[in-house]
Amino acid sequence: MKRSPLANAILWFVLIMGTAAFVFPLWWMAVVSLETPQRAEAAITGSAGISLFPPSPQFGNYADAVRETGSVPWMGFVDALSNSIVVTVLVV
Amino acid sequence: MSASPTSAARWIGTVLRTGLAVVAVLLVIAAFARVAYRTATAGEHAAGETVLTVMHWSGEGGQEEDKIVEDSLRAFEAANPGVRVKRLNPGDAGSFYTKLQTMMAAGEAPDVFYVGYERVANFASLDLLRPIDDFVAREYAARKAGDATALDLAAFYPQTVDAFRFDGRRVGTGALYGIPKDFTTVGFYYNKDLFRQAGLAFPTNAWTWDDYIAAARKLGQLPGITGSEFVTWPVMVRTYLRTEGCEAIDDNLEQIRVAEPNAVAALERLRAWRHGEENTLTSGKSKIATGASVFLGGKVGMAGPFGRWVVPSYRNIPKPGEPGGFEWDFAPLPRGGAEANCVLTVSWSIARHTEHPEESWKLVKWLTDAKSQAANARLGLAIPTMQSVAASDAFLDATLPPANNQGYLDAIPESVVVGWPADPTFEQILGSTMDQGLKTGDLTIPEAIAQFNEKWDAHVKFVPGGVNPRPVPWSLFAVIGLALAGGVLAAIAWLFLSGTRANGGRSNARSEERAGFLFASPWVIGFLVFMAFPILLSLVLSLTNWKGIGPLSGADWVGADNYAQLLARDGRFHTAFKVTLYYAAIAVPGGQFLALLAAVVMMQKVRGIAFFRAAWYLPSVLAGVGVSILWRWIFDSEGGLINRTLEAVGIAGPEWFGKDAAVFGAPAFAIMSFWLVGGSMMVYLAGLQQIPRDLYEAAEIDGAGPVRRFFRVTLPMLSPVILFNLIMAVIGSFQVFTQAFVMTGGEPGDLTRFYVLYLFNKAFELYDMGYASAMAWILLAIVLALTAVILRTSARVVYYESLRK
């Protein structure tokens, strides 16, 4: 079965637009996760725009997030991860 | 794949795979070891040691508040040998109360814990808190005898102490149920830079509502600036009314008095500021903006009424001159016809049935002493309740904003405790109806008041089980339950034996059967204990008035009263049902259509289709809470992705969870559900791939075009899959919870309060587990009925290839 050029164009249009719709929010989440708290707050409350690529990516945000899980630094994350793994293994 | 992989590439692949597998196995082992270690050490303590459990939260205070409590407790242990303190911090206040409720229901309440002023009446009336007047009297005597370390209640701001008194009816007098740890008065935070730009004088501590609204209007004229955020939480509405000389609730806490002319006029003014003017007040918006965060962006002139709790996050605002930075300060609540403010406070309280009242009291004293209060004050989160500490540098820190620390203290003389009726339903209904008047504006003030009266009336008149309810016939249910369990076991035993006989005693088959039963038995036992028992228990509970926060013995038998109330009179339940139906009517057909469409697209033979399949499915594998937070941003009415996109093509987007929530609230959730069609899409895709190619070839030879082939071959062959997906989607649409809980909390009003969210509210916030259980069973009935209808009506349409005769 050979598709007509028009059908082919439509198909690619749908594929690309669909992928954008599905992936863009995730991309946006990734961008916000790398922003400074001020710029992120401003972006998500609508008082400022945000760039598609963070000008100064804050990779430390991720370390902070892991460290600040639970009440004991680092161990809270270890506990949470352990719980998830144990539950997953037991359920499967 | 034209080129076959070289042996080197294959080797690398093998190494990577093996490495991954090893890492996975190691992770699993480490996880089990960690959990086992934690469980083993959890209950460990030396003989003769007293172990106290302490629970608190650290919402706005974050890690620092957590650390302050931790340090304070370790110091307490050092000062009191023989006492060990176990600390629990479930996170924010919401998770804290849920955990506290679960622990109390299990009879394992922590000894000492935080209690917010708004919960005192409720908790005390449920007999969960220990009155501490005996301890206070002893301290008073000790102080008179010259003990300088004894607690002196006179050193505290009296309103903060009174906030934890309850006489069985009203907050403010009666027995004392906790020592306040800190408190706040409320007011507005303002952006000094914007005030300068608008040529406005800064607010004074004696400013009026006229000053306030004049400033808001002027600020709103600056390009791109909104005058003020005004949160309309019930406590703020009540305090606002008090500045106009009206009380929102009568002295007996039984009726609202907002129907009085001056109160209605004050509320109408507030409503007109928001809905009758452009850019004067912000428009409520989604849940994210009810917090203090709108202020951070520098596009709002004022924000409030908030207490001191926003200060730690506002201190992160960059200094003026830096990007995004501005200067800000605090001004207490403006005055109307009267001066008024409110005291919002949190105590350390003791559980009613603690085994260690003496040690618990010692700890409460320790946690509320001058040293602990000073440590807390430095965090900036609240005002110390001890007057001497509030007047010290620990609170009046001149090096950090806000400069007007005195503003909070100046408001104290005119502040009162805002007591709520012991039944938290009152505050929740007041909040949701006032929301519709003030926030979404779809009701006028008199209409909102009428709605409140109607809903509150339906709730108050509902006395399940009558005035003298009968006890729950537990023994009867125990007998029935045991009989059922015995019956199931007997049936299994019978199967076991008869199966053996039927096989004529062939030893091979017998042992296989036995093995089968043995392998199945853990599941059967697990099912009976962990599934069947709770399910049946919830059926029994739905016939009681169990609160879910005390032992089961506290429950009374109410018969079918819960069901009758739900079906006949509970307006909020009917709203929740309608909201859910509205959602389902869009989400189910729309989602199935899109999923099928997506699956058809994914069937096309295109280079890289595997990538597209993965990309479209990706959102479905993400965790619910994270996705919900993401979508809260997307639907934000001003900065959200959707509204910005609509704006770019010249359409003014709706305020999804604001004033347009009645129409757009539930559909917003449906749109979000479309993003997660990947799961259904995969099922359809599998179904499409099952359809034999020769059917299409035959159809093509017969001259059928692509459209005809789709309707005459694809759809009939796919119909069982469509039926399956449809039923799953219907069930799923009645179970919407996480999204609504995270994104809106049911607000505004009850316009996004889905069925299961209302069930959760009833069970875990309004403490009516019996009622919530009844809701769960009604939900089951609804879903069963819908499924039965779908199965019935689909029988003619669905075509089962394998059942063809």
Side-chain angles (χ1 to χ4, degrees), chain B residues 538-740:
Chain B
S538 92
L539 182 59
V540 175
L541 287 177
S542 74
L543 304 170
T544 72
N545 66 354
W546 188 47
K547 304 245 175 252
I549 195 164
L552 274 178
S553 55
D556 298 312
W557 179 254
V558 302
D561 284 7
N562 286 333
Y563 291 91
Q565 172 79 2
L566 273 167
L567 296 176
R569 284 180 296 275
D570 188 344
R572 300 185 78 200
F573 172 70
H574 301 156
T575 310
F577 183 62
K578 275 182 225 151
V579 167
T580 311
L581 266 191
Y582 184 23
Y583 166 82
I586 301 170
V588 174
Q592 292 314 302
F593 174 75
L594 287 177
L596 184 53
L597 199 69
V600 170
V601 171
M602 288 302 148
M603 279 295 282
Q604 307 303 315
K605 291 187 186 62
V606 176
R607 187 191 285 265
I609 194 71
F611 163 78
F612 289 111
R613 282 179 190 168
W616 290 32
Y617 183 63
L618 190 60
S620 307
V621 300
L622 300 173
V625 174
V627 167
S628 303
I629 292 175
L630 173 68
W631 279 82
R632 197 165 69 182
W633 304 342
I634 291 176
F635 281 116
D636 191 88
S637 58
E638 281 169 25
L641 195 58
I642 290 194
N643 280 13
R644 278 194 203 179
T645 314
L646 288 176
E647 211 174 292
V649 295
I651 304 171
E655 286 182 16
W656 299 90
F657 304 129
K659 86 176 180 250
D660 304 316
V663 179
F664 286 98
F669 287 96
I671 292 173
M672 177 182 165
S673 79
F674 297 157
W675 194 56
L676 304 169
V677 295
S680 300
M681 178 188 84
M682 283 299 172
V683 179
Y684 280 130
L685 193 57
L688 285 173
Q689 285 169 342
Q690 293 291 316
I691 301 175
R693 294 295 101 192
D694 47 356
L695 287 180
Y696 288 107
E697 279 158 24
E700 212 175 347
I701 291 165
D702 288 349
V707 176
R708 208 184 161 100
R709 282 203 300 273
F710 179 79
F711 283 102
R712 290 301 160 99
V713 179
T714 311
L715 272 188
M717 291 303 287
L718 205 58
S719 54
V721 180
I722 296 177
L723 177 66
F724 168 79
N725 264 342
L726 187 66
I727 291 176
M728 292 324 258
V730 167
I731 295 174
S733 67
F734 273 85
Q735 293 175 336
V736 169
F737 172 76
T738 313
Q739 305 92 300

Side-chain angles (χ1 to χ4, degrees), chain A residues 1 3 8 11-30 32-33 37-50 64 67-73 75-76 78-87 89-90, chain B residues 27-28 30-32 34-35 38 63 66 87 89 285 288-289 293-294 296-299 313 316-318 601-602 604-607 609 611-612 615-619 622 626-627 630-634 636 638-641 644 674-678 693 700 709:
Chain A
M1 277 193 284
R3 270 186 301 271
N8 220 356
L11 177 63
W12 276 100
F13 179 76
V14 171
L15 278 176
I16 290 168
M17 290 310 283
T19 306
F22 280 106
V23 173
F24 189 76
L26 295 174
W27 173 251
W28 197 43
M29 182 154 69
V32 173
S33 78
Q38 289 77 32
R39 281 177 52 93
E41 288 263 20
I44 63 184
T45 54
S47 42
I50 200 160
D64 289 348
R67 192 181 59 235
E68 290 177 12
T69 304
S71 44
V72 185
M75 285 325 279
V78 172
D79 276 341
L81 186 66
S82 303
N83 289 345
S84 299
I85 292 176
V86 167
V87 169
V89 169
L90 289 183
Chain B
L27 259 180
V28 169
F32 272 88
R34 172 76 194 151
V35 172
R38 217 174 49 200
Q63 293 291 304
D66 190 88
R87 186 178 67 98
N89 175 8
K285 298 195 294 182
I288 192 166
S293 47
V294 275
L296 294 169
K299 303 278 182 191
S313 76
N316 289 329
I317 294 172
V601 171
M602 288 302 148
Q604 307 303 315
K605 291 187 186 62
V606 176
R607 187 191 285 265
I609 194 71
F611 163 78
F612 289 111
W616 290 32
Y617 183 63
L618 190 60
L622 300 173
V627 167
L630 173 68
W631 279 82
R632 197 165 69 182
W633 304 342
I634 291 176
D636 191 88
E638 281 169 25
L641 195 58
R644 278 194 203 179
F674 297 157
W675 194 56
L676 304 169
V677 295
R693 294 295 101 192
E700 212 175 347
R709 282 203 300 273

Side-chain angles (χ1 to χ4, degrees), chain B residues 443-454:
Chain B
L443 298 181
T444 64
I445 298 300
E447 281 169 354
I449 294 168
Q451 278 241 349
F452 172 86
N453 284 330
E454 191 185 308

Side-chain angles (χ1 to χ4, degrees), chain B residues 268-332:
Chain B
E268 289 285 11
R269 269 201 298 282
L270 185 51
R271 186 171 187 275
W273 291 340
R274 170 162 290 153
H275 295 288
E277 302 180 17
E278 292 274 316
N279 298 333
T280 301
L281 296 193
T282 58
S283 49
K285 298 195 294 182
S286 51
K287 194 183 176 191
I288 192 166
T290 62
S293 47
V294 275
F295 186 70
L296 294 169
K299 303 278 182 191
V300 174
M302 299 178 274
F306 293 129
R308 179 84 183 175
W309 64 83
V310 295
V311 165
S313 76
Y314 285 5
R315 281 182 180 165
N316 289 329
I317 294 172
K319 301 210 166 37
E322 291 173 27
F326 57 86
E327 203 183 338
W328 57 275
D329 204 352
F330 170 82

